[in-house]
Amino acid sequence: QVQLVESGGGLVQAGGSLRLSCAASGSIFRANVMGWYRQAPGKQRELVARLFRDGGTNYADSVKGRFTVSRDNAQPKMFLQMSSLKPEDTGVYYCNAVTGATDYWGQGTRVTVSS
């Protein structure tokens, strides 16, 4: 069983930075992939960044060069460092982990970027 709890969201001005954290209970070592998704008001949830067990990553085109996903297995936590934030980055950010055929989701943390 994996439980995920996000933190670190908040209100920031455009151009600013935030660091999101995802605390994982259970064994994230079993997760084949972990990732961050976001959902803007009135829009569908979309992929932001993923981190694979072999260390590989992939990012949405809209955040490449601005966001960095990482993990600390000792804690265990996953992070999303967000820089050069834009108003269009506003939304609820969710942590996700996939173990086998099961998807786990956190409750989300809200990020608001003001112009």
Side-chain angles (χ1 to χ4, degrees), residues 3-4 11 47 59 72 80-81 83 106 109:
Q3 291 182 329
L4 306 169
L11 174 63
L47 171 68
Y59 296 89
D72 181 347
L80 184 68
Q81 179 66 48
S83 302
T109 186

Side-chain angles (χ1 to χ4, degrees), residues 19-71:
R19 189 193 195 204
L20 305 184
S21 297
C22 172
S25 65
S27 174
I28 66 168
F29 292 97
R30 296 196 185 100
N32 300 320
V33 57
M34 296 187 70
W36 289 96
Y37 290 72
R38 68 186 179 192
Q39 187 164 18
K43 294 187 177 181
Q44 290 188 329
R45 192 173 298 188
E46 63 176 1
L47 171 68
V48 175
R50 284 188 295 185
L51 179 59
F52 297 90
R53 190 159 56 178
D54 64 1
T57 58
N58 74 296
Y59 296 89
D61 288 343
S62 59
V63 307
K64 282 180 181 177
R66 300 189 297 122
F67 290 12
T68 302
V69 63
S70 62
R71 63 191 282 175

